[in-house]
Amino acid sequence: MMSTPLFALLLSVACSPPISPRLACPSCRQALQEKSYRRHLAFCAPDLLDPEGWAAGDCAVVQRHCSRLHRPGSAAARALELRFGFGGKPAVTSQQRLAAEMGWTNRRTRDTIAKFLHAIPPVSEPSDRLQVLYEDASMLVVNKPAGVGVTPEHRWRGGSVLNWVMWHLSRDAAPPQDGRGRGGGGGQRRRGRGGRGGRRTPAPAPEPRPCHRLDLNTSGALVFAKTPEAASALMSQFESRRVRKAYAALCTAPPGESLVEGEICRVDGVQHCERRVCGPGESGQAARTSLVVVADSAAGGEAGSAGAAGGECLLLARPEQGRTHQVRLHCAAAGSPILGDALYGGGEGRGPLQRHGLHALALTLVSPATGAPLEVVAPLADDMRRAALEAGLRMRSAGAGRA
C-alpha cells in the first residue's frame, strides 16, 4: 500500500499547473520562460535574435550609439566592440567568454550590455502624416492614421507613430541657429562617463510614451506623454476609467440594442489577437459599451434609436473600459458588426474603405500640465467619410453630431 506522504506528493504533482517551458539565452545562458525570451534577447543579444536585421542596419545603429555614449578606448567601449564585432571583427557572442577577456564578473558584463542597449532610443522619423491635435508641456494628442502601428516592431527601425512623435519632439528640443534654446531643454549638455576626458553629449529628451493603444487599422485620437511623470498621471486616468472615450464605427447594420454588457475572454489556440464574449459560467474581463446610431440611410430618424432601419449606419460607441477589441466585439454582439472587420463578422472592406471602419473620435481627460479637463476631437478619417457618403448615410435629427 502506498504511503501517505508519497501519495500526497504524487497528488500535488498531478494537480499542479503545467510548468512553462524554459529556454536558455544563447549569450548569457540565463534561463527564461518562452513568453519573455524575445524581449530578453532584444536587450542582451539582438544580433542573435534577428541576424538578418542586424546585418541590414541594426549593427550600424548600435555602433553609432556606442561611439556617442562611450569614450573611444574606454573599458565599456572595448567590451561592446568585442561583444558585437564592430569593424568587421568576429563577435564574442558568449558573455562568459567576454567577461574572461575583459577581466570582469559575469554580472558586470551582463549589466554593461543591457544598460547600453536600453539607452538606445527609438529612431526619430519625419512624416508629413503626423497630425497633432493638441500639445502642452506634458502631453500631446495625435490623429493616428489607419495602417500605422502605435509603436514600431523594432525600436531601431521606425515606421510607427511613436517614431514620428520622436522626430516632432526632437525638433522642438533642438537649439535654433542663433543658439537660443527652444522648448527649454535643447541647449543642456552633460558629461559622458569617460571622466575628465569623457565626451560631452546633448542631454536626451525623455522618450515619449503612448498612454493607450489603438489597433493597427483603427484611426483616431492617440495620447502620448512627454515625461515619465506625465505618463504615470495619464495612464492612471485610463486605468481608473476617468478618461471618456468615443468611437465612430461604420457598421453593416443598426444594432439590436443600445447598451452591450458582456465579459470578454481570450480566444485560445490562434496565432493572431482575438477575443470573444464569454459564455455562461465563464469568467472574463468586465466590459460595457453604449451604442448610438448617428447616421443611416433612413430619412427623419431620431438619433439613438436602435434597429430602426436596415442597411449600413454610423454608430457612436462609448466604451466604459478599454478592453482589447471591446468596441469591435460589442458591435458584433449587438448584431452590428463593423464594416471591413472580417474577424468579427463584418466582411471585407469595400470601395474607399479597405480596413475595418473604426475611428477613435474623441477623448476627454485631464492634462497633467494644467490640471484642467480637456476634450480632443479627431476629424473622421477620410476613407470612412467617403464610404459613408457612398452608402448614402445621413445624420439623424438630434444629438447626432456631438462626440
Side-chain angles (χ1 to χ4, degrees), residues 234-253:
L234 289 165
M235 292 176 75
S236 175
Q237 293 183 53
F238 278 97
E239 291 168 359
S240 61
R241 303 176 194 170
R242 286 176 287 157
V243 177
R244 294 177 56 200
K245 295 166 283 187
Y247 288 79
L250 187 58
C251 298
T252 59

Side-chain angles (χ1 to χ4, degrees), residues 65-395:
H65 280 83
C66 179
S67 300
R68 185 177 67 85
L69 296 173
H70 295 289
R71 176 174 55 85
S74 66
R78 181 168 173 264
L80 294 168
E81 289 168 4
L82 288 171
R83 168 61 189 85
F84 295 114
F86 297 151
K89 300 176 183 178
V92 180
T93 57
S94 168
Q95 287 193 15
Q96 290 182 343
R97 181 183 160 198
L98 177 61
E101 291 198 26
M102 293 296 299
W104 289 358
T105 64
N106 290 336
R107 179 173 182 176
R108 180 181 178 186
T109 305
R110 181 179 66 247
D111 291 350
T112 297
I113 293 170
K115 189 171 184 178
F116 165 69
L117 292 174
H118 273 94
I120 301 176
V123 298
S124 61
E125 185 176 65
S127 175
D128 56 6
R129 299 178 68 190
L130 180 66
Q131 181 185 5
V132 177
L133 302 171
Y134 172 83
E135 183 173 8
D136 63 25
S138 64
M139 59 178 282
L140 72 163
V141 185
V142 302
N143 193 2
K144 173 191 170 301
V148 181
V150 175
T151 55
E153 294 185 4
H154 193 291
R155 283 174 63 86
W156 305 333
R157 296 181 197 166
S160 74
V161 181
L162 173 63
N163 303 112
W164 300 352
V165 171
M166 292 278 294
W167 175 266
H168 172 78
L169 296 181
S170 70
R171 291 179 61 205
D172 286 346
Q177 295 290 336
D178 61 6
R180 292 194 299 269
R182 228 177 6 137
Q188 297 178 2
R189 299 178 74 84
R190 64 187 175 97
R191 184 170 294 278
R193 289 184 162 229
R196 292 181 61 188
R199 59 180 55 213
R200 296 167 66 86
T201 58
E207 181 182 323
R209 302 185 185 185
C211 298
H212 60 123
R213 301 282 173 167
L214 295 177
D215 292 336
L216 177 67
N217 286 318
T218 298
S219 54
L222 177 64
V223 180
F224 284 88
K226 292 185 176 182
T227 66
E229 296 77 17
S232 178
L234 289 165
M235 292 176 75
S236 175
Q237 293 183 53
F238 278 97
E239 291 168 359
S240 61
R241 303 176 194 170
R242 286 176 287 157
V243 177
R244 294 177 56 200
K245 295 166 283 187
Y247 288 79
L250 187 58
C251 298
T252 59
E257 52 188 316
S258 59
L259 182 64
V260 181
E261 293 184 84
E263 293 189 353
I264 294 177
C265 289
R266 292 176 179 270
V267 175
D268 297 323
V270 295
Q271 294 294 325
H272 55 271
C273 178
E274 187 176 350
R275 298 292 188 268
R276 61 183 175 84
V277 175
C278 301
E282 289 185 296
S283 178
Q285 294 180 310
R288 177 184 172 113
T289 307
S290 66
L291 304 174
V292 177
V293 179
V294 294
D296 59 17
S297 57
E302 292 185 3
S305 57
E312 295 172 9
C313 65
L314 185 68
L315 297 184
L316 185 67
R318 293 187 182 275
E320 293 185 7
Q321 299 80 14
R323 311 301 187 197
T324 300
H325 296 182
Q326 178 173 340
V327 173
R328 296 167 61 185
L329 194 57
H330 278 181
C331 284
S336 185
I338 295 174
L339 182 66
D341 192 358
L343 186 62
Y344 297 117
E348 300 297 329
R350 59 158 180 77
L353 188 67
Q354 294 301 314
R355 49 105 177 187
H356 61 243
L358 184 64
H359 179 82
L361 186 65
L363 289 167
T364 303
L365 69 169
V366 175
S367 167
T370 65
L374 171 72
E375 182 182 42
V376 182
V377 177
L380 190 64
D382 185 62
D383 57 349
M384 284 184 61
R385 182 185 60 82
R386 289 187 289 126
L389 290 174
E390 285 190 6
L393 303 188
R394 290 182 288 176
M395 301 299 289

